[in-house]
Amino acid sequence: MNSKYQLKITGKNPKRFIKDLIKLKILLYHMENHDQYSIIIVDDNGLKAIQKLKTSYQIKLIREYGYSRYKHLLKKYIWFLLSLFLAIIIIQGLSNVIFSVEVEHSKKEIRELILNDLETYGIKKYRFRVSYAKKEQIKKKILAKEIDRIEWLEIERVGTKYIVSVEERIKNEAEKKKEAQNIIAKKDAMILRINATSGEVVKKRYDYVKKGDVLISGFITRDEKIVSKTKADGKVFGEVWYKVDIDLPKKYQVINKTGKSKKKIELKVFNKSLFLLQLNSYKTYQLQRKTLIKNPILPIGIYYTTIHETKEISKNYTHNNASQEAIKIASRKLLEKLGSEDRIISKKVLKKTEKNSRIIVEVFFKVEEDIKDTENIENIKIEDIEGEKSEPSN
C-alpha cells in the first residue's frame, strides 16, 4: 500500500511554489489553493523531493495516508497495544481459574457434604476449571455416591465461579400436619379488604387495627366454645399511611443525552481508562460499557464502550413549583418499597419549608397494602384459652 501525505504550504505566494513543484515534475495527487495557503497531497518520492528544497515557505504535514499512517498509529499506540495484549493473556489465564465454589441449599450439612465430594473429585477453589465432559462425570459420581441423600444435582460455571444446585431426596413419609396459626396485622391500618380461605374472620372492613391484632383466627369455635385449631390463611389489605420527605435543591442540573455517540475499545486498569483511538471531542459525556474480558481478582478489564454526548440542563425550583417534582420523586421511592399488589390510593403535599439553598417537601400518602402476618398457635392449648375466658375479671 503506497503512502501519501497531505501538506499545507504557507507563505507569500503559495501558488507560485506549487507551480515550481510542477516544473520539478513532482506528482501532485490533489491540490487546493487558498489566499494564504495551499493544500497538496504527494507520495513518498514527492515528500522527499520537497524536504530537500531550500525555500522560505512553511511546509507542514497535516495527515498521512496508507502504510505510513498505520505505521504512525502503531508507533503512537505501541504501549497501549502491548498493555492490551499482556492484559488479554493475564485475564485469559486467570479466567480459567476457579475462585469460588457455592452450593445452593438451605441445609448446612447438605452444603458441606457436596463441597467435600466436589473437592474429592477435583473441583475446588484456586484450581483450573474442568472440561464439560469431566464435570458431567463428577456429577454422576456424586449422585451415585450420595444416592440416599441427593435426588438431583447440577454444576454450572459462571465466570470464575462454580454454582452447584442441589435437591435433597425426600423419603416417603406421612404428610406432616399443617401448623396452626393466626393471621395478624403487621402494622397499624384501616382494613379495606379481608378474605379468609381458612380460619375465622374476627375483624371487618373499615375496622382500625394495631400491629399484632388478630385478623383471621386459627381457633375454630362452635356455640361460643373453641373446638379445634387450624392454619388460618387468606388475604388482608388495609389503608396504611406514609409521610415521605423530599429534599430538593433550588438549583438543579439534569444531564441528558444528545443522541450523538461513538464506539471505542477501552482498556480499564484500576480506575484509569485507555482508549485505542482518540477518546472524543465531546465536552461532557457518559460511558456505556459492554464487557469483553474482565478479571474478578485483578482490576483489569477490556470493554466495548459507547461514548454518549451529554448536555447539562439547569432547573430552578421555587416554593411554588416544587410540589409536582416532590410528589413524583416520593411516589417512585415509595413504590420501590411496596409489594406488587400494593397501590397508592392518594397523595398530597402537607408542607414545604425552605432551608438555605434547598426546599424540603413533606408528602402524605394513603396506600392500599398487604398487612398480613402470621402468628404460630401450635403450642397453645385449647383448654388454656377456655380457662382464661372462664376466669372472672378483677
Side-chain angles (χ1 to χ4, degrees):
M1 184 183 292
N2 294 327
S3 298
K4 293 184 178 63
Y5 307 89
Q6 187 181 67
L7 304 176
K8 181 178 180 182
I9 314 298
T10 307
K12 187 176 180 180
N13 188 358
K15 294 180 182 178
R16 182 175 179 179
F17 183 76
I18 300 298
K19 290 178 181 179
D20 292 341
L21 296 180
I22 294 172
K23 289 178 181 178
L24 293 171
K25 296 183 179 181
I26 294 176
L27 181 61
L28 303 181
Y29 290 88
H30 177 75
M31 178 176 60
E32 293 178 16
N33 288 314
H34 301 271
D35 292 338
Q36 301 297 325
Y37 65 91
S38 293
I39 301 292
I40 61 173
I41 296 178
V42 297
D43 56 20
D44 285 313
N45 294 329
L47 179 64
K48 290 175 183 178
I50 291 172
Q51 287 174 338
K52 290 178 181 179
L53 293 175
K54 292 182 179 180
T55 178
S56 61
Y57 290 91
Q58 293 180 356
I59 302 170
K60 183 179 179 181
L61 176 63
I62 298 175
R63 189 173 180 184
E64 298 173 82
Y65 301 90
Y67 171 77
S68 179
R69 174 170 173 77
Y70 292 112
K71 184 179 178 181
H72 172 74
L73 288 174
L74 182 61
K75 285 182 178 179
K76 185 176 179 180
Y77 296 107
I78 184 65
W79 291 110
F80 172 81
L81 294 172
L82 287 174
S83 301
L84 180 63
F85 180 70
L86 181 61
I88 291 173
I89 292 175
I90 294 172
I91 293 171
Q92 199 62 33
L94 290 174
S95 65
N96 288 312
V97 176
I98 297 301
F99 291 93
S100 176
V101 180
E102 293 182 6
V103 178
E104 295 181 337
H105 198 275
S106 58
K107 291 184 180 179
K108 183 180 179 181
E109 59 181 294
I110 296 295
R111 294 198 300 270
E112 290 179 349
L113 175 71
I114 299 302
L115 283 172
N116 289 334
D117 286 344
L118 289 169
E119 187 171 335
T120 300
Y121 295 122
I123 292 181
K124 61 182 295 187
K125 288 199 299 183
Y126 311 125
R127 291 270 189 93
F128 283 105
R129 65 181 180 90
V130 298
S131 66
Y132 176 80
K134 178 71 173 176
K135 185 188 71 173
E136 292 299 304
Q137 288 178 5
I138 292 172
K139 185 172 75 173
K140 290 178 181 179
K141 288 178 181 179
I142 294 175
L143 287 172
K145 181 174 179 286
E146 310 295 349
I147 190 169
D148 294 331
R149 300 291 306 274
I150 304 302
E151 179 74 29
W152 174 83
L153 176 74
E154 186 58 49
I155 305 171
E156 181 184 6
R157 186 175 73 90
V158 181
T160 58
K161 177 194 295 185
Y162 275 125
I163 298 177
V164 185
S165 302
V166 185
E167 187 175 321
E168 186 179 6
R169 187 180 295 279
I170 305 299
K171 296 180 180 179
N172 292 328
E173 296 177 354
E175 186 179 352
K176 293 183 179 179
K177 183 181 178 181
K178 293 180 180 178
E179 290 187 347
Q181 67 178 26
N182 288 333
I183 298 299
I184 62 173
K186 66 180 177 183
K187 55 180 65 178
D188 298 352
M190 179 182 74
I191 294 176
L192 296 177
R193 291 187 285 141
I194 182 166
N195 298 303
T197 54
S198 60
E200 293 187 353
V201 177
V202 295
K203 297 290 183 182
K204 61 183 183 295
R205 190 181 183 189
Y206 301 131
D207 280 352
Y208 286 91
V209 295
K210 295 285 186 181
K211 179 181 179 180
D213 286 355
V214 176
L215 308 176
I216 304 174
S217 176
F219 293 104
I220 306 301
T221 60
R222 187 178 298 131
D223 298 328
E224 297 185 353
K225 290 188 65 176
I226 298 173
V227 295
S228 64
K229 292 186 294 184
T230 188
K231 181 180 180 180
D233 206 355
K235 287 190 174 184
V236 186
F237 285 83
E239 182 181 290
V240 183
W241 310 278
Y242 290 95
K243 287 181 182 178
V244 181
D245 290 331
I246 300 299
D247 190 341
L248 295 173
K250 288 184 179 179
K251 291 185 178 180
Y252 179 62
Q253 285 188 326
V254 180
I255 298 177
N256 292 328
K257 295 178 181 178
T258 65
K260 295 181 180 179
S261 64
K262 295 180 179 180
K263 298 183 184 296
K264 306 286 182 183
I265 298 296
E266 176 187 4
L267 171 63
K268 198 164 186 287
V269 182
F270 293 96
N271 292 323
K272 186 175 181 180
S273 292
L274 302 172
F275 290 86
L276 185 57
L277 297 175
Q278 185 181 0
L279 176 57
N280 59 75
S281 56
Y282 303 147
K283 290 183 179 179
T284 59
Y285 56 89
Q286 291 179 349
L287 301 180
Q288 182 180 354
R289 295 183 174 98
K290 181 179 180 181
T291 303
L292 298 178
I293 301 175
K294 186 177 180 181
N295 188 270
I297 301 300
L298 296 178
I300 299 173
I302 300 174
Y303 305 88
Y304 183 64
T305 301
T306 304
I307 305 165
H308 297 277
E309 184 186 36
T310 58
K311 184 178 181 181
E312 292 186 358
I313 301 173
S314 296
K315 288 185 178 181
N316 294 322
Y317 291 121
T318 65
H319 197 79
N320 294 326
N321 68 8
S323 297
Q324 186 176 358
E325 185 69 16
I327 288 174
K328 185 166 64 175
I329 295 172
S331 299
R332 186 169 63 247
K333 286 186 174 182
L334 184 58
L335 287 170
E336 289 174 357
K337 298 179 180 179
L338 297 177
S340 59
E341 295 186 78
D342 304 336
R343 66 183 183 91
I344 295 173
I345 301 171
S346 65
K347 47 201 170 185
K348 68 176 181 179
V349 172
L350 292 182
K351 65 178 181 178
K352 290 179 283 186
T353 56
E354 295 188 31
K355 186 176 181 181
N356 298 326
S357 61
R358 310 189 75 80
I359 300 174
I360 301 169
V361 184
E362 186 178 281
V363 186
F364 175 77
F365 292 91
K366 289 183 180 180
V367 176
E368 183 181 82
E369 185 177 340
D370 181 2
I371 61 169
K372 167 185 166 182
D373 202 354
T374 59
E375 176 186 55
N376 190 294
I377 58 173
E378 188 66 31
N379 297 324
I380 300 176
K381 296 180 179 179
I382 294 175
E383 307 85 70
D384 294 340
I385 300 295
E386 287 296 327
E388 291 177 6
K389 289 169 63 177
S390 62
E391 288 180 1
S393 59
N394 294 330

